[in-house]
Every structure is written in structure tokens, then in C-alpha cells.
């Protein structure tokens, strides 16, 4: 079965870039991305591709190539569902903030709403693809809603989790390590394999049963987050013992069984996936009575929270146990470089801890909008200022904290920044990106995660 018409519900960080690349690579397939959020769709349709709602290196070019040809962004959800042979569900699945599983389980209300809408609108057979990360066995719930509320048409459910990382989304989509497709119906599976096989080598397209596919996504994120928490746990030990976490990471990473990637010690992982997916895994394990399994994975999140909180505590301690009234500049607000996404960013927690200590926070990030920082901080926003110029942000500060590893921070004229700060001038490098030797020569009191500041 050849797919001619794809609809994707949800024009966010996953749906937008993924569909843009599918449209780019399959010019004979019409791809329509729909969302309830009118402002978001308007931004995807903005003539000026610099204004796309998602910042990803290279995405502007992909959108410019395909948009209007076979890539469309629209708020007409019903129409797009009706026309499509294949529907991707790419809506958000945040951690549930109420009722049973509060703070742990995934909130599936947006998924369920989509399923009901698809069931109501569909007049012919559809392949429904889960793209959002979902708890294991969600496909079963989806199928039940579709079959019980539908108009008697057939629905085939596939799980096709997205492994792209933000900041490298286009690269990851163009050249994925693997594409995973879980399903039961061979014809449906093959039709999605055919889409990806247009540009992904066939041996990298894996097919499994639905449950393996759903669980693989949670497991991949849990393993990745665990590596970050593992190296962060060692970073604290390094600070006490005089070992250097970068040296340790390099030494262990050369063991081919461990490998060098994802061993960068930091102020803590953020992003919309890691914490949510682990908590989800913990909840699922608990719901099967697997308490040891649940406790094992929960520790990854506990360690991450500890890493964020000890970073803020260390700033207060180093600044003579008080930051009250002191200007502290935070460089970086996004959860990692090359994205404007701030979900679960460590910067948010660090800022809140410092605001609680009555610090005067000044924030600079090259891509995050002030309105986003305002949303992230809520009522605490009144205690901070956002600067559009980094040198301005650092002027007169007691201390600078590096929260995101933006490349431009490495290129700054640090002597000029030093000259404009109060003395002693402190730098807390939460990403280990600055040159320790050079910073010390300039005169900074420089502290990096994972090494003692002797
Ligand atoms: C992650 C997964 O990598 C991706 O496969 C999945 O589809 C979604 O979740 P993402 O959250 O976009 O992607 O970014 P990722 O590069 O994994 O980084 C997550 C967090 O870990 C960031 O805050 C990052 O700064 C931090 N991190 C990552 C470290 O602190 N150290 C590292 O060595 C790697
Ligand atoms: P992700 O990182 O998973 O892509 P986002 O929050 O960036 O998550 O994007 C999810 C998008 O899904 C949002 O833009 C939201 O408006 C949209 N959405 C949620 N529910 C629906 C729905 N029922 N119909 C259409 N769009 C929806």
C-alpha cells in the first residue's frame, strides 16, 4: 500500500521537524501538520523562516524547500484527518499533575482526545502512528477507543518512536542510527517502512512488535539519562578528591564497551523527555509491583535533582554564604545548546533557588524569548532581568553561572567581562566549557562542575 497523504497531529518539537524531513525526502507524499494552537501554526507558515516556532539548525532550509510544495501547516484538524491515509499522533504527553499517578504517570488526555477525533472523522481505513513517547500498552487503549467509537472503518496502529535529539534534529532525522517501527499488520508496517526507506538504509529500519517498540523508547531515554546521572554522581566525588571529571570521562570512554558519548558532566539534564520518561517507567514498574525496578530507575532522577540543587548551593556557599542583593548573571536558559526549548531546563531550578536566597538574577540566552523565561518562572519573574546583550548582562555582577553550553560563550572576551565585574569575580561553569587555565590567569575565581577549584 503506497501512502499518498500523511497528517500529523501536533506541530511541536517532534511533529514539526519530523514531518518537514519526511516531506523533503518524499516529494510525492502530501504532508499536513495540524495543531490546535493557531499562533504556532501561523509561525510555521511565516514567510520569514527565521521565525519558525522551533529553533533547530538547518530546519529553516528544509521547511523552505518543502513548504507549499507538499508540506502544509494548518489548524483544520478534521479536514487533514479525513484526507490522510496515515495519521501521526505527535501531541504532548506531559507528566500527569493530578489524581492517580500524579507527578509520575504520563498524562494521556491529549492522546485520547486525538483518538476520539480520528474515530469521529475517519470515513475510510487509516494507519495511526504513535510518534509521541507513550507508556507501554498505550496502543491497546488507542485501538480500543478507535474501534469502539469509530464509523466501522479499520484502524491499524503502529508505534514509531522518535529518537531525534533537539539541537541536532535535522541531522538525526536525515541520518538516524535506527528507525523503529512496531506493529502487527504487515501491510501497515511495510507502508511506513517504505516511507523511511526513501532515505534511510533499509538495515537501519527495525520492525518489532508494538510493545517492544513502546518500551524501547522509554528504555533508550532511561539509559541515556542514567549515563548523565552516573557521570554527575562521579563529578561530586571528583570535587572532593582532586580528580577531574573530564579526565575520568575520557579514561572510561576509551573502553569500547563504555564508549565516549554522553559522558559530559553538567549542572543536570533537562529537556522534555528524560525526567518524564523515567518517571513514567518508574510508575509502570510500580503498577506491576516491581518495586526494586522502580527504585533503581527513580535514583537517576533523584541524582539529577541533587546535581541541580548542589550547583545553586555551591554558589551561595562560595559567595560567603549570602547572595542576598547580589547580582548573579546566568548565561544560558535553554536545556542544551542549539535549541530554544527550556522544558525542564536546569537553569529554571537554579534560578528559583537563587531567587529564594534573594539574589538579583540577570539572564542572557541567545535563542530563548523573554516571554518564555517569564512563563518558566511564573511569579518569580519579577526578581530577574533578561538582557539581550551578554556583556551588558555581566556588567557589575558578583558572579556568572554558565547554565547552557552555547558555543558563543567560549568565544567571549572574558578579560572585558572580568574588568566590568565586581571583585572577586566568580564564574561557576555548569557545563565545563570554559578554559580553566585562561580564566584563572585573567583573575576569575573559577569553579567547574567535577573538579576542585585549586
Ligand atoms: C533526548 C534523547 O537523546 C532523544 O533520543 C529523545 O528522542 C529525546 O530525549 P533531548 O532531550 O533533545 O533528546 O537532548 P539530549 O541531547 O539527549 O540531552 C538531554 C539533556 O542531557 C540535556 O539537558 C543535556 O545538556 C544533558 N546532557 C547530555 C548532559 O548533561 N551530558 C551529556 O553528556 C549529554
Ligand atoms: P513535543 O516535544 O512532543 O513535540 P510539543 O508540546 O512541542 O511536544 O508539541 C505538541 C503539540 O501538540 C502542541 O503544539 C499542542 O498544541 C498540540 N496538540 C495537543 N493536543 C492536540 C490536539 N488534540 N489536536 C491538535 N494539536 C494538539
Amino acid at each position: 500500500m503506497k501512502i499518498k497523504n500523511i497528517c500529523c497531529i501536533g506541530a511541536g518539537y517532534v511533529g514539526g521537524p519530523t514531518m518537514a524531513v519526511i516531506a523533503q525526502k518524499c516529494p510525492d507524499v502530501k504532508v499536513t501538520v495540524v495543531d490546535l494552537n493557531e499562533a504556532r501554526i501561523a509561525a510555521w507558515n511565516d514567510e520569514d523562516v527565521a521565525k519558525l516556532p522551533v529553533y533547530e539548525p538547518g530546519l529553516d532550509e528544509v521547511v523552505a524547500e518543502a513548504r507549499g510544495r507538499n508540506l502544509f501547516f494548518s489548524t483544520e484538524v478534521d479536514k487533514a484527518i479525513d484526507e490522510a491515509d496515515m495519521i501521526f499522533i505527535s501531541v504532548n504527553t506531559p507528566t500527569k499533575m493530578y489524581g492517580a499517578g500524579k507527578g509520575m504517570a504520563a498524562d494521556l488526555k491529549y492522546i485520547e482526545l486525538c483518538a476520539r477525533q480520528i474515530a469521529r472523522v475517519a470515513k475510510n481505513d487509516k494507519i495511526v502512528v504513535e510518534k509521541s513517547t507513550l507508556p507501554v500498552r498505550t496502543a491497546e487503549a488507542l485501538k480500543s477507543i478507535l474501534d469502539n467509537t469509530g464509523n466501522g472503518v479499520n484502524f491499524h496502529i503502529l508505534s514509531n518512536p522518535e529518537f531525534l535529539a533537539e539541537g541536532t534534529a535535522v541531522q538525526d532525522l536525515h541520518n538516524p542510527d535506527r528507525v523503529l517501527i512496531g506493529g502487527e499488520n504487515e501491510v501497515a508496517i511495510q507502508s511506513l517502512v517504505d516511507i523511511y526507506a526513501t532515505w534511510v538504509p533499509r538495515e537501519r529500519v527495525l520492525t518489532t512488535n508494538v510493545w517492544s517498540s513502546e518500551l524501547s523508547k522509554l528504555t533508550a531515554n532511561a539509559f541515556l539519562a542514567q549515563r548523565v546521572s552516573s557521570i554527575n554522581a562521579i563529578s561530586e566525588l571528583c570535587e572532593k578528591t582532586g580528580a577531574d571529571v573530564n579526565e575520568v570521562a575520557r579514561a572510561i570512554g576509551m573502553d569500547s564497551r563504555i564508549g565516549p558519548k554522553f559522558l559530559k558532566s553538567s549542572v543536570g539534564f533537562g529537556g522534555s523527555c528524560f525526567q518524564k520518561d523515567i518517571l513514567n517507567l518508574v510508575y509502570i514498574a510500580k503498577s506491576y509491583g516491581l518495586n526494586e525496578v522502580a527504585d533503581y530507575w527513580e535514583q537517576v532522577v533523584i541524582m539529577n535533582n541533587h546535581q541541580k540543587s548542589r550547583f545553586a548551593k555551591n554558589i551561595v556557599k562560595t559567595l560567603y554564604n549570602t547572595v542576598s542583593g547580589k547580582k548573579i548573571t546566568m548565561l544560558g536558559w535553554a536545556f542544551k545548546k542549539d535549541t530554544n526549548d527550556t522544558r525542564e531546563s536546569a537553569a529554571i531550578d537554579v534560578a528559583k533557588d537563587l531567587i529564594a536566597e534573594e539574589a538579583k538574577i540577570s539572564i542572557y540566552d541567545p535563542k530563548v524569548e523573554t516571554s518564555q523565561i517569564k512563563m518558566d518562572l511564573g511569579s518569580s519573574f519579577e526578581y530577574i532581568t533578561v538582557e539581550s546583550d551578554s556583556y551588558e548582562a555581566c556588567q557589575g555582577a558578583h558572579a556568572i553561572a554558565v547554565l547552557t553550553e552555547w558555543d558563543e560563550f567560549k568565544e567571549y572576551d572574558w578579560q572585558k567581562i572580568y574588568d566590568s565585574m565586581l571583585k572577586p569575580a566568580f564564574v561557576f561553569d555548569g557545563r565545563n566549557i570554559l578554559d580553566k587555565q585562561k580564566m584563572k590567569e585573567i583573575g576569575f575565581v573559577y569553579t567547574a562542575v567535577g573538579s576542585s577549584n585549586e
Side-chain angles (χ1 to χ4, degrees), residues 8-17 34-38 40-41 44 54 74-75 77 81 90-94 109-115 117 131-133 166 272-273 276 341 343:
C8 172
I9 308 181
Y13 283 90
V14 173
V34 291
D35 204 297
L36 297 171
N37 184 332
E38 288 181 13
R40 210 167 211 187
I41 290 297
W44 279 111
V54 168
S74 159
T75 51
V77 184
I81 291 174
S90 202
V91 301
N92 36 337
T93 49
K109 71 175 173 210
Y110 303 108
I111 297 279
E112 177 164 349
L113 280 172
C114 283
Q117 193 163 6
K131 200 48 158 162
S132 321
T133 309
E166 288 174 31
S272 70
C273 288
K276 179 189 81 179
D341 193 351
R343 287 177 289 180

Side-chain angles (χ1 to χ4, degrees), residues 14 56 133 161-168 172 178 217 220-221 224-225 227-228 231-232 260-274 277 304 334-337 339 341 343-346 403-405 430-431:
V14 173
E56 277 294 340
T133 309
E162 186 45 66
F163 293 102
L164 70 81
E166 288 174 31
T168 52
D172 295 344
R178 78 322 206 165
K217 171 69 189 188
N221 278 342
L224 290 168
R227 264 176 90 92
V228 178
I231 199 69
N232 281 345
K261 293 182 183 167
F262 245 77
L263 285 177
K264 283 200 204 83
S265 172
S266 66
V267 52
F269 62 72
S272 70
C273 288
F274 281 1
D277 288 355
N304 195 51
F335 81 97
K336 63 187 277 196
K337 73 170 181 177
T339 176
D341 193 351
R343 287 177 289 180
E344 305 295 337
S345 178
L403 275 301
T404 312
E405 74 282 23
R431 294 291 183 163

Side-chain angles (χ1 to χ4, degrees), residues 288-309:
Y288 287 108
L290 309 179
N291 293 327
E292 290 77 8
V293 176
D295 290 349
Y296 176 77
W297 286 109
E298 191 166 14
Q299 200 60 36
V300 174
V301 173
I302 293 172
M303 187 65 225
N304 195 51
N305 289 336
H306 171 66
Q307 189 76 352
K308 292 185 275 190
S309 113

Side-chain angles (χ1 to χ4, degrees), residues 275-335:
Q275 174 165 313
K276 179 189 81 179
D277 288 355
I278 290 181
L279 292 178
N280 198 344
L281 197 62
V282 169
Y283 183 75
I284 294 167
K286 277 196 183 142
S287 69
Y288 287 108
L290 309 179
N291 293 327
E292 290 77 8
V293 176
D295 290 349
Y296 176 77
W297 286 109
E298 191 166 14
Q299 200 60 36
V300 174
V301 173
I302 293 172
M303 187 65 225
N304 195 51
N305 289 336
H306 171 66
Q307 189 76 352
K308 292 185 275 190
S309 113
R310 79 181 187 86
F311 184 80
K313 282 199 185 111
N314 187 41
I315 295 179
V316 178
K317 191 174 129 223
T318 310
L319 295 187
Y320 317 109
N321 286 315
T322 175
V323 291
S324 179
K326 292 182 182 167
K327 175 169 173 178
I328 300 178
T329 303
M330 294 178 61
L331 292 181
W333 191 257
F335 81 97

Side-chain angles (χ1 to χ4, degrees), residues 1 145 175 195-196 224 232 237 314 358 370 393 423 445:
M1 180 188 166
I145 294 169
N175 191 19
I195 297 271
Y196 284 108
L224 290 168
N232 281 345
L237 203 53
N314 187 41
E358 300 184 346
T370 305
K423 307 295 174 328
V445 182

Side-chain angles (χ1 to χ4, degrees), residues 81-85 87 122 124-128 154-156:
I81 291 174
D82 180 35
E83 287 174 3
D85 325 304
I87 301 163
N124 55 357
D125 296 357
K126 309 273 185 207
I127 297 170
V128 177
N154 286 316
F155 294 104
H156 297 300

Side-chain angles (χ1 to χ4, degrees), residues 318-320 398-401 421-422 424-428 444-446:
T318 310
L319 295 187
Y320 317 109
H398 284 83
I400 293 173
M421 286 174 68
L422 296 184
F426 296 92
V427 169
F428 298 88
F444 284 108
V445 182
Y446 175 79

